């Protein structure tokens, strides 16, 4: 059995996560109910009913690609023998890719949590851990983006690499 499968099986057996996950679901219900008569339209939109397919997977792929691009450009900018203009270009494009990834992460989180509400037991527990890890990684990406905007590029590179490591 692969290590990944063992980890997923282990997480799926953690029944202690049920109570906080159902409390989170109650909070989400209050948020969606605050939409009033538009509740069903909002949840259907986030679930991808209009597309005939869940929206979360393609948004997650977009996010992963954008963040992966930022990390790759960061790695290229650190290679020796690069001119200062090449490093600046790579850093600038990495910052833009990171920004796109952050926006994608927020959209992916909104669609993911809407889908997650309808899960139970093992899937719910694994989804909860998935969401928490992605929330932590998104916080690191936002901090990385802020650091880059303030001229702290190396710190931004390290922070986004740590976030990418968490999501990987």
């Amino acid at each position: 059995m692969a290590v990944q499968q063992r980890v997923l099986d282990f997480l799926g057996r953690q029944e202690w996560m049920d109570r906080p996950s159902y409390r989170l679901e109650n909070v989400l219900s209050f948020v969606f109910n605050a939409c009033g008569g538009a509740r069903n339209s909002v949840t259907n939109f986030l679930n991808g009913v209009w597309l005939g397919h869940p929206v979360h997977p393609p948004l997650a792929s977009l996010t992963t690609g954008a963040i992966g691009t930022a990390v790759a450009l960061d790695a290229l900018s650190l290679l020796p023998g690069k001119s200062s203009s090449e490093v600046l270009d790579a850093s600038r494009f990495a910052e833009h890719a990171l920004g796109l990834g952050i926006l994608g992460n927020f959209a992916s989180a909104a669609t993911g949590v809407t889908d997650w509400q309808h899960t139970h037991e093992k899937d719910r527990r694994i989804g909860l851990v998935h969401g928490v890890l992605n929330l932590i990684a998104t916080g690191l990406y936002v901090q990385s983006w802020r650091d880059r905007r303030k001229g702290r590029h190396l710190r931004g590179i390290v922070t986004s690499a740590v976030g990418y490591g968490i999501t990987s």
Side-chain angles (χ1 to χ4, degrees):
M1 184 184 286
V3 173
Q4 294 166 333
Q5 189 59 49
R6 280 191 227 132
V7 169
L8 292 176
D9 289 343
F10 173 77
L11 292 173
R13 291 190 304 269
Q14 302 307 306
E15 293 180 9
W16 63 269
M17 287 193 271
D18 291 347
R19 188 173 197 161
S21 74
Y22 283 103
R23 286 189 176 168
L24 176 57
E25 181 185 8
N26 286 337
V27 170
L28 292 171
S29 292
F30 283 119
V31 169
F32 287 124
N33 287 338
C35 295
R39 180 191 197 285
N40 288 341
S41 297
V42 169
T43 57
N44 285 344
F45 177 78
L46 292 172
N47 282 325
V49 172
W50 56 276
L51 184 61
H53 185 278
V55 181
H56 180 69
L59 282 174
S61 294
L62 169 76
T63 299
T64 302
I67 301 292
T69 298
V71 170
L73 287 169
D74 286 341
L76 288 174
S77 74
L78 295 175
L79 291 175
K82 297 284 181 190
S83 70
S84 60
S85 67
E86 289 174 319
V87 170
L88 188 61
D89 284 346
S91 293
R92 188 177 72 236
F93 288 125
E95 185 179 318
H96 291 308
L98 184 62
L100 176 62
I102 291 167
L103 292 175
N105 253 352
F106 287 125
S108 184
T111 57
V113 79
T114 306
D115 292 345
W116 173 83
Q117 265 187 283
H118 306 292
T119 62
H120 300 283
E121 297 176 356
K122 181 180 178 180
D123 292 335
R124 175 173 283 258
R125 297 171 196 139
I126 292 169
L128 182 65
V129 172
H130 170 76
V132 168
L133 289 175
N134 278 295
L135 184 64
I136 292 167
T138 301
L140 290 168
Y141 299 145
V142 169
Q143 184 61 47
S144 172
W145 187 81
R146 291 178 66 207
D147 285 339
R148 293 163 193 258
R149 303 285 291 177
K150 293 179 180 179
R152 297 185 296 236
H153 294 286
L154 186 57
R155 181 174 161 178
I157 287 171
V158 170
T159 306
S160 61
V162 170
Y164 195 68
I166 288 171
T167 58
S168 294

